[in-house]
Amino acid sequence: ALLGFIWGSSFILIKEGLKTFSPTQVASLRIIIAGIALSPFVLKFIKQMTSADWLPVAVVAVFGHGIPYFLFAFAQTQLGSAITGMLNSLVPLFTMLIGVLVFKTKVGRIKVYGVLLGLIGAILLIISSANDTSGNYIYGVLVAIATVCYALSVNTLKARLTRFNPLATASIPIAMTMIPLLFYVPIAEPISFMELDKQGLVSLLAVATLAVVGTASAMIIFNRIIQLS
């Protein structure tokens, strides 16, 4: 329930960030700020990683953070927060499909019914919603691709990394994603923080909240749930 609230509000924060920053800047700032917030845990847990762990960690970094964060930011230049959040409900469906087809996960009927029930609920919300559903719906394809990325990341995390502390599996992949962005942003899309106007400061606060609460804190909670379930 807490994650539903946090991640539901994340789409609103992305939209607020886009009022000042480009999609690339929003996604990059989200990752960089979250990486900085989690950096103490990286130093604590990185020594526990073996050479066999780095490939699954890289998969989680790229498909759990890198690609989807950019896709969501670009999608929301043309889609409202509500419709983006509803389309994000494809994650359980793709998680189940990739789990069965790629990771050979056994899925019982109850789980299938649960995923389908959630998907039907999301479809009904999309059909019936009259607010914040304007935009270019072709950008919904970006959201769908992002949900496939999330599904691959979740299955990898469950199959290969659940023996680690959730702080480790949250912090290390985000830090790995952050490193190239620390070089990219100042060179390709520099941000003049000292020149931000009032709206710019609001957008920066929104992205910082998205990073610390909607990314760093939420991933710790989510990874703990994956450990338990």
Side-chain angles (χ1 to χ4, degrees):
L2 177 60
L3 278 174
F5 176 79
I6 291 173
W7 278 337
S9 63
S10 293
F11 301 108
I12 300 171
L13 295 172
I14 292 172
K15 200 72 172 178
E16 189 64 39
L18 289 170
K19 291 180 180 179
T20 300
F21 304 112
S22 72
T24 306
Q25 289 173 329
V26 168
S28 298
L29 282 172
R30 176 183 186 178
I31 293 168
I32 291 170
I33 296 171
I36 293 171
L38 290 171
S39 58
F41 303 111
V42 175
L43 299 174
K44 179 179 180 180
F45 292 111
I46 196 170
K47 58 187 177 183
Q48 298 177 4
M49 296 286 171
T50 67
S51 57
D53 297 321
W54 284 108
L55 179 58
V57 167
V59 170
V60 173
V62 173
F63 294 98
H65 304 290
I67 295 175
Y69 291 175
F70 285 91
L71 290 177
F72 276 116
F74 277 100
Q76 285 202 246
T77 61
Q78 301 294 324
L79 293 175
S81 302
I83 194 70
T84 306
M86 293 173 199
L87 289 171
N88 190 51
S89 61
L90 291 169
V91 172
L93 175 63
F94 287 129
T95 300
M96 182 175 69
L97 291 175
I98 290 176
V100 172
L101 297 175
V102 179
F103 291 83
K104 309 304 179 184
T105 304
K106 293 182 179 180
V107 178
R109 283 184 299 174
I110 295 298
K111 291 182 180 179
V112 174
Y113 295 154
V115 169
L116 293 178
L117 180 62
L119 188 62
I120 291 170
I123 292 171
L124 291 175
L125 280 172
I126 292 170
I127 292 172
S128 64
S129 179
N131 299 318
D132 201 19
T133 55
S134 59
N136 186 346
Y137 284 86
I138 194 66
Y139 279 75
V141 174
L142 298 181
V143 179
I145 295 172
T147 61
V148 174
C149 292
Y150 277 153
L152 178 59
S153 173
V154 169
N155 277 288
T156 302
L157 189 64
K158 180 63 180 177
R160 300 291 299 276
L161 298 171
T162 50
R163 73 181 187 277
F164 292 105
N165 189 302
L167 289 169
T169 51
S171 59
I172 296 174
I174 292 176
M176 186 182 292
T177 313
M178 174 185 70
I179 292 171
L181 296 176
L182 289 174
F183 296 95
Y184 171 81
V185 174
I187 297 171
E189 291 202 52
I191 302 170
S192 300
F193 292 104
M194 299 303 295
E195 298 178 7
L196 293 176
D197 57 14
K198 183 177 180 180
Q199 177 57 56
L201 293 173
V202 171
S203 296
L204 180 60
L205 178 61
V207 176
T209 304
L210 173 68
V212 175
V213 180
T215 305
S217 301
M219 288 310 302
I220 295 169
I221 300 170
F222 183 60
N223 290 356
R224 179 56 178 158
I225 291 174
I226 292 175
Q227 264 191 337
L228 295 170
S229 62

